[in-house]
Amino acid sequence: MHVIETGVNTRSEEYVRNYEAMEVLVAELAAELHKARYDRSPKSLARLAESGKLTVDKKLELLLDKNTPFLEIAPLAAKDMYDGKIHGAGLVSGIGVIHGQEVHVGVNDATIKGGSAYPISIKKTLRCQTIVMENRLPSVALIDSAGAFLPLQSEMFPDVNGGGRIFYNQAHISKMGLPQIAAVMGLCTAGGAYGVAMADEVIHVKGHGAIFLGGPPLVRAATGEEVTADELGGAAVHCRESGVSDHFAEDDADAIRIIRSIVKGLNRPEKTRLAMQDPAPPLYDPKELYGIVSQDLTQPFDIREVIARIVDKSEFLEFKELYGPTLVTGWAYIHGYPVGILGNNGVLFSESAQKATQFIQLCDRRGIPLIFLQNISGFIIGREYETHGITKDGHKMVNAVSTATVPKFTVIVGASNGAGNYAMCGRAYSPRFLWMWPHSKIGVMGGQEAAKVLVSITNDQNARLGKPPLTPDEVAALSAPIIEATAREGNAYYATARLWDDGILDPAKTRDVLGLAISASLNAPIRSGELGYGVFRM
């Protein structure tokens, strides 16, 4: 491999301007993440303390191995949705380490509406279950939930991706042989009761842990029976009488101690092995990424400069360097793991699509994970390119991305538009994980382009009707709402709130996050060899 020689002048006005702008965005991101984790009402915190329950942070501190990372999933889910206070969709989820094993952990936050589930909470739970299944991870759930937020029940109940899908997935996770451990640390009502009952092992905290299909108010309304939550579904009932729960815990800390003991005893298969090398940092400071990318996404940058700051030793073996130059492809290592990287340096032409197809097949055949660095406005358009088969060549790339069997990881480092999003392994193409940088934008097309298309269509309609073309004022009036909506809905925070990604990253942390994600993915076998497909040249 060869060291990427940087062409970045860290003293240039453009670099300094970019750096300062990104510093502001990263500071805003840190503030939003802090708000999502800690912005709680004094009343809810006091109620938690009075009940003897631990905070989410304290639960994670006791559960996870000391000084190990926690890869949180969608920490800003539900940002600015509902009343603006359903931080993280009401639960903290991610991949952590327990007794040296990577485990998915989900924790209800009872300080947010009593742990009630909103539609976006269901979506986040389903996303995390997909992560569990794709990466073959054990899962631990620390449950304290008042159940569905009833005013929005129609958005959560009967459809294919409603709440019922959670239990369907639990059954399939069990069928896959993946351990599921649940701790009852609060109310587990209705669907929450099924979620507990379908786990492999259940730890039940005395006093404030309760499981029931219908809580005391519903029992009173339906039968007239007066019963407390503890009498109806407390630890004594389910550990001594019903057998629903398997372990009796004195308090939250005791429950977590039991969970750690269970995880320690799991008989887990060895992780997939890759041909690794000793990890080494990049030659260039990852924080230099701040100055390389511009907030103005129309300003180009060389994706090799990004690669040089996330791969080991800044070394990169480029594939087909002189062919299809608007897409950079090649091999490198990240934290010692071998990876194949595809990064955009412009729109996708037939040649770049063909190169991508061959490169993806090579990596898939060799069992090498794929990294997609998206900064793409789409495929080239026009009569000449259609004549030469851009649609056919784009199909080849999309097909290869869709059917590759190795783990795929996507980072949106700039624009992500239209079919370019698809071809570069957008959310619909099942990357194991997908993240955005704070300045990134996502949409069918940019706002200015969308407005021009609408104006052109309107003028064509006017011509057919014998009307004059739009005046400049009419063009401005028609364009303004399109441009505004595109800017708002293409924003990274709008996207992450709706789980179009797994989180917004500080660019300087991209390398470490990718390393954690690759490691987690290796809990599942890499499907290649005879189960894949042979390589054919383009």
Side-chain angles (χ1 to χ4, degrees):
M1 292 189 179
H2 305 287
V3 172
I4 297 174
E5 293 187 13
T6 185
V8 173
N9 178 4
T10 58
R11 297 182 181 178
S12 71
E13 289 185 10
E14 180 185 11
Y15 178 91
V16 172
R17 184 170 59 250
N18 289 344
Y19 194 102
E20 291 175 348
M22 184 61 79
E23 273 192 317
V24 171
L25 292 181
V26 170
E28 290 175 355
L29 174 61
E32 291 293 346
L33 290 170
H34 187 273
K35 177 182 176 182
R37 183 60 71 89
Y38 300 111
D39 182 21
R40 305 292 185 270
S41 71
K43 182 179 178 180
S44 66
L45 293 173
R47 189 162 51 242
L48 191 78
E50 289 169 5
S51 67
K53 298 178 181 179
L54 299 178
T55 63
V56 170
D57 275 0
K58 188 61 179 180
K59 289 175 180 178
L60 290 173
E61 177 188 335
L62 294 175
L63 180 65
L64 303 176
D65 292 354
K66 303 298 181 185
N67 301 316
T68 58
F70 180 64
L71 180 58
E72 189 169 355
I73 306 300
L76 298 179
K79 173 177 162 51
D80 297 330
M81 297 172 68
Y82 311 114
D83 64 358
K85 297 179 180 179
I86 313 302
H87 303 300
L91 62 153
V92 175
S93 298
I95 299 172
V97 180
I98 301 175
H99 283 296
Q101 297 187 55
E102 287 158 326
V103 175
H104 176 267
V105 177
V107 188
N108 289 114
D109 191 340
T111 62
I112 298 177
K113 308 293 185 182
S116 295
Y118 283 68
I120 197 68
S121 312
I122 303 298
K123 186 173 183 180
K124 182 171 178 177
T125 301
L126 293 175
R127 169 62 189 148
C128 289
Q129 288 182 320
T130 297
I131 289 172
V132 165
M133 290 187 281
E134 288 183 339
N135 300 289
R136 305 287 178 90
L137 295 169
S139 61
V140 170
L142 309 185
I143 304 174
D144 186 355
S145 174
F149 182 67
L150 293 179
L152 298 177
Q153 62 175 326
S154 66
E155 299 178 39
M156 293 183 275
F157 170 58
D159 208 351
V160 64
N161 285 323
R165 191 71 176 189
I166 294 173
F167 316 128
Y168 174 92
N169 284 347
Q170 280 191 270
H172 281 268
I173 290 169
S174 180
K175 184 179 179 180
M176 293 171 69
L178 303 176
Q180 300 175 85
I181 303 161
V184 181
M185 294 180 161
L187 297 182
C188 297
T189 308
Y194 287 118
V196 173
M198 295 187 73
D200 296 356
E201 288 189 67
V202 176
I203 302 93
H204 203 139
V205 178
K206 85 171 182 182
H208 52 252
I211 308 169
F212 29 62
L213 295 182
L218 183 57
V219 170
R220 186 184 313 116
T223 70
E225 181 183 5
E226 292 288 345
V227 63
T228 67
D230 197 53
E231 292 169 338
L232 184 62
V237 171
H238 288 308
C239 288
R240 290 194 176 99
E241 298 180 44
S242 74
V244 169
S245 301
D246 307 303
H247 304 273
F248 186 98
E250 295 292 330
D251 52 27
D252 286 356
D254 188 35
I256 291 170
R257 178 190 61 78
I258 295 169
I259 291 170
R260 285 184 54 84
S261 296
I262 293 171
V263 173
K264 184 178 181 180
L266 296 178
N267 184 25
R268 296 280 295 150
E270 285 192 14
K271 292 173 63 173
T272 297
R273 294 180 181 274
L274 298 178
M276 296 181 63
Q277 69 174 20
D278 292 336
L283 293 183
Y284 311 109
D285 184 355
K287 286 196 74 172
E288 290 179 356
L289 291 168
Y290 291 7
I292 290 170
V293 298
S294 172
Q295 313 309 299
D296 179 1
L297 298 186
T298 65
Q299 296 300 309
F301 58 88
D302 189 347
I303 198 68
R304 295 177 185 85
E305 298 288 1
V306 174
I307 295 170
R309 287 156 180 83
I310 65 174
V311 303
D312 293 3
K313 302 178 185 178
S314 301
E315 291 182 340
F316 186 58
L317 176 60
E318 191 160 347
F319 175 74
K320 271 183 158 56
E321 179 180 358
L322 303 180
Y323 185 79
T326 60
L327 184 72
V328 174
T329 57
W331 292 278
Y333 290 85
I334 294 178
H335 281 285
Y337 297 109
V339 294
I341 299 176
L342 299 93
N344 299 118
N345 257 356
V347 298
L348 291 165
F349 289 81
S350 283
E351 294 84 358
S352 40
Q354 291 170 0
K355 176 167 75 170
T357 302
Q358 184 181 356
F359 180 72
I360 291 168
Q361 290 177 326
L362 288 171
C363 290
D364 194 63
R365 190 66 177 176
R366 297 171 185 175
I368 297 175
L370 289 163
I371 309 289
F372 294 83
L373 302 177
Q374 283 198 17
N375 181 28
I376 180 67
S377 58
F379 285 89
I380 192 69
I381 59 175
R383 184 178 184 279
E384 175 187 352
Y385 304 106
E386 293 293 350
T387 301
H388 287 89
I390 184 63
T391 300
K392 168 172 57 68
D393 293 324
H395 141 73
K396 294 173 185 175
M397 182 177 177
V398 169
N399 194 311
V401 171
S402 302
T403 57
T405 56
V406 294
K408 300 173 290 188
F409 308 88
T410 302
V411 185
I412 300 176
V413 302
S416 178
N417 295 130
N421 169 278
Y422 301 159
M424 289 296 292
C425 201
R427 190 63 134 180
Y429 289 78
S430 294
R432 296 292 179 90
F433 299 90
L434 183 150
W435 301 276
M436 296 179 74
W437 283 0
H439 72 299
S440 300
K441 298 287 189 295
I442 187 169
V444 174
M445 62 181 72
Q448 294 288 348
E449 292 79 8
K452 289 177 182 177
V453 169
L454 186 58
V455 167
S456 178
I457 291 172
T458 302
N459 279 332
D460 288 344
Q461 291 173 338
N462 286 349
R464 287 195 297 272
L465 297 172
K467 296 181 179 180
L470 297 173
T471 67
D473 287 345
E474 289 172 330
V475 168
L478 185 63
S479 300
I482 298 296
I483 294 172
E484 189 277 331
T486 302
R488 182 182 69 255
E489 296 174 5
N491 181 275
Y493 286 107
Y494 188 95
T496 204
R498 289 154 181 80
L499 278 107
W500 297 350
D501 59 46
D502 294 311
I504 302 175
L505 296 182
D506 174 348
K509 297 180 180 178
T510 302
R511 163 184 165 80
D512 291 340
V513 169
L514 282 170
L516 293 172
I518 295 167
S519 176
S521 76
L522 297 179
N523 285 280
I526 289 182
R527 183 169 174 244
S528 60
E530 293 182 357
L531 296 175
Y533 41 61
V535 173
F536 55 93
R537 297 184 63 81
M538 305 312 299

